[in-house]
Amino acid sequence: MTTPTQAARADVPAGYACTVTYTSVGWTTGFYAILDIANTGTRTFGPWILQFVFPGDQTLAAGWSGMFTVTPPSVQAANPAWRPSIDPGTSFELGFTATGADEHPSGFTLNGVPCTATFEPA
């Protein structure tokens, strides 16, 4: 498990904090990933958008439990209608498949708030 360091931004309102646990499995031409987004703060994220950046030429193929959009190399996953918020002390899981190398993305943010990311083997 590795934990990249991401300094908290000075402009993040008090009470907002998050972590993302990223679990992936790769194969010859691509990979799938499960992301568990946890609200570790004291304020609700809602509605929410998770954003991260692919490190190379990865291409999103399909996603589930979120409304995915891509502006390469950035990926955004907005909340589904049935889960408009992530309350303090709770988490939400979504996932995707992609083509390209199974390399760890970076720059995880939830509504612009930097999230601490950990990477787990499947």
Side-chain angles (χ1 to χ4, degrees):
M1 169 178 21
T2 61
T3 304
T5 58
Q6 292 179 328
R9 292 185 351 209
D11 61 341
V12 172
Y16 287 105
C18 53
T19 62
V20 174
T21 302
Y22 182 96
T23 306
S24 64
V25 173
W27 54 85
T28 306
T29 59
F31 61 100
Y32 77 85
I34 304 296
L35 293 81
D36 185 67
I37 308 163
N39 182 344
T40 58
T42 58
R43 297 181 71 177
T44 297
F45 285 97
W48 56 266
I49 297 176
L50 178 72
Q51 183 168 326
F52 58 91
V53 178
F54 279 139
D57 63 353
Q58 293 83 2
T59 302
L60 186 77
W64 57 92
S65 297
M67 299 176 64
F68 286 83
T69 57
V70 179
T71 308
S74 180
V75 177
Q76 301 81 35
N79 63 271
W82 48 269
R83 186 65 187 266
S85 63
I86 304 174
D87 295 325
T90 67
S91 63
F92 181 73
E93 188 175 276
L94 53 83
F96 65 88
T97 59
T99 60
D102 182 14
E103 299 172 349
H104 297 156
S106 63
F108 288 93
T109 62
L110 188 59
N111 289 3
V113 174
C115 297
T116 301
T118 57
F119 300 93
E120 301 283 339

